[in-house]
Amino acid sequence: MAGLEIPTWDPETALLIGTILLEAVLLYVGYGGLERLFGPRLMAFIVGGEENAR
Amino acid sequence: MLDSVLDGLGILGTSPEMLALFVGFGLVVGVLFGFFGMGGSFLVTPALLMLDYPAPVAVGSGMAFVFGTAVIATLKHHDLGQVDYKLGAIMITGTTIGIEVGRASVYYLESLGLAGALISVAYVVLLGGVGAMVTRDARRGDGSGDIDHEAADKDLSEYEIPEIAKTIQQTVRIPPMVTLRGDVRVSAWVITAVAFATGLLSGFLGVGGGFIRMPAMIYAIGVPVPVAVGTDLFEIVFSGGLGSYLYGQGGGVDLGIVVPLLFGSALGARIGSAATAVVDADGIKVYFGGMLLVGATAVGIGEVGSYIGSPTLEMVGLVLVIGAAVVVAVAILYTSVVSLRTTRKQQAVTAD
């Protein structure tokens, strides 16, 4: 049976996981910013139809 | 320059069609996760298995996706003060050991050529079981075992501890005892046992385990619902990160899958989360249960197709898994828009 492993330091894998972590943080901040910028206008468009958006 | 960065991330190895599929699927999974607080991620691994990815890649990439999603959700719950860091820290040990045992099992079964089939069977049982339970509760109008969207607005001291949790707290008093948020006092061993069992499932199936861990935290440990949700996500950041690292060392994490899935799901989760403010979850829950049951059937059909060598059956399974998730996500969005427009009309009439 494949034995249980103690994680060993592997820079390549650390970079891989770091990339996912960085993407997650960037998406949280980025989508949050977009929501603040365009959220109210988008809601007006969806809820009230095109007339309200204008 | 951009090409070399993307190539280094393994994204250029994925065709544009697959990237678009993963972004779209991520969006759907995100809407489900944002709305129900669970249940999106465990559609990813079966879908990848049906797309003929090897089991370690399907499970490893599914886990890396869960890790990224948990990071985003934890940031939000931290802002709301709904994370019990002491409980999370205790759970990390049990979950880590559980995940490692589950992960080792996957590689062992893979060496025997049984991993894909057994993981699919486990999914059929799990999705079918949870799906049947949710559907039954939804038809009875019973909201138990689910996230109460109004719960976030209540004070933690207002929560009643479930009877079964009270019994466990009174009978299992093996030291060390710990006090958690909401004045819950429980043995650290109960917490560790819950963490190990759910970690085992996470490692074996590549899922966050939240759909089992959250009810377990509420009913076995007795923590208030919002704290269970926030702490579960915090814990998944570590367990998912470690699991992804271990799978990544074995070549099991494909950024060409994870990056586009996360890109779509982060947006979908915001939409799904916003929808909880305007849609009654009980009305949608029956669809959610139905989706899990269809997912279980789809994985079964896909596995039979793979066993008898029928690409048509495998395709039917894949279309059913993705189709069921899309239908529920669209139902949430449609109901939200209708509800918002109705509210606005009523406000306009009142103002007149």
Side-chain angles (χ1 to χ4, degrees), chain B residues 211-223:
Chain B
F211 62 102
I212 292 173
R213 192 182 298 117
M214 259 189 299
M217 275 203 260
I218 296 162
Y219 290 103
I221 303 175
V223 294

Side-chain angles (χ1 to χ4, degrees), chain B residues 247-274:
Chain B
Y247 270 104
Q249 281 187 312
V253 176
D254 186 342
L255 282 183
I257 299 169
V258 181
V259 168
L261 272 177
L262 207 51
F263 188 79
S265 79
L267 178 61
R270 281 188 176 271
I271 298 169
S273 177

Side-chain angles (χ1 to χ4, degrees), chain A residues 1-5 7-10 13-14 16-17 19-21 23-24 27-28 31-32 35 43 46-48 52, chain B residues 9 64 67-68 72 75 79 100 103-104 108 242 244-245 249 253 255 259 262-263 266-267 270 337 340-341 344:
Chain A
M1 175 171 173
L4 301 187
E5 282 180 28
T8 51
W9 174 245
D10 177 3
T13 311
L16 186 80
I17 304 305
T19 304
I20 298 168
L21 181 64
E23 188 199 2
L27 287 173
Y28 178 73
Y31 281 141
E35 189 178 310
M43 281 301 288
I46 293 170
V47 175
N52 284 336
Chain B
L9 294 178
F67 163 64
I72 295 170
L75 288 170
D79 290 345
E100 179 52 10
R103 188 200 64 83
Y108 173 63
L242 178 68
S244 305
Y245 185 85
Q249 281 187 312
V253 176
L255 282 183
V259 168
L262 207 51
F263 188 79
L267 178 61
R270 281 188 176 271
V337 172
L340 279 169
R341 288 193 167 181
R344 190 176 176 88

Side-chain angles (χ1 to χ4, degrees), chain A residues 7 13 16-18 20-21, chain B residues 41 59-71 74 88 91-100 103 195 198-210 213 231-249 252-253 258:
Chain A
T13 311
L16 186 80
I17 304 305
I20 298 168
L21 181 64
Chain B
S41 57
V59 179
S61 299
M63 182 166 277
F65 168 69
V66 166
F67 163 64
T69 309
V71 169
T74 302
M91 287 197 77
I92 284 167
T93 314
T95 310
T96 304
I97 298 168
I99 282 187
E100 179 52 10
R103 188 200 64 83
T198 51
L200 190 67
L201 273 175
S202 295
F204 190 67
L205 298 174
V207 296
R213 192 182 298 117
T231 309
D232 175 50
L233 289 163
F234 165 70
E235 208 260 338
I236 292 173
V237 169
F238 287 91
S239 57
L242 178 68
S244 305
Y245 185 85
L246 291 168
Y247 270 104
Q249 281 187 312
V253 176
V258 181

Side-chain angles (χ1 to χ4, degrees), chain B residues 163-185:
Chain B
E163 282 304 319
I164 184 166
K166 279 184 192 165
T167 310
I168 291 171
Q169 286 170 13
Q170 284 158 6
T171 50
V172 185
R173 302 192 64 82
I174 310 166
M177 300 293 285
V178 286
T179 307
L180 306 172
R181 291 197 63 184
D183 287 333
V184 176
R185 192 157 169 77

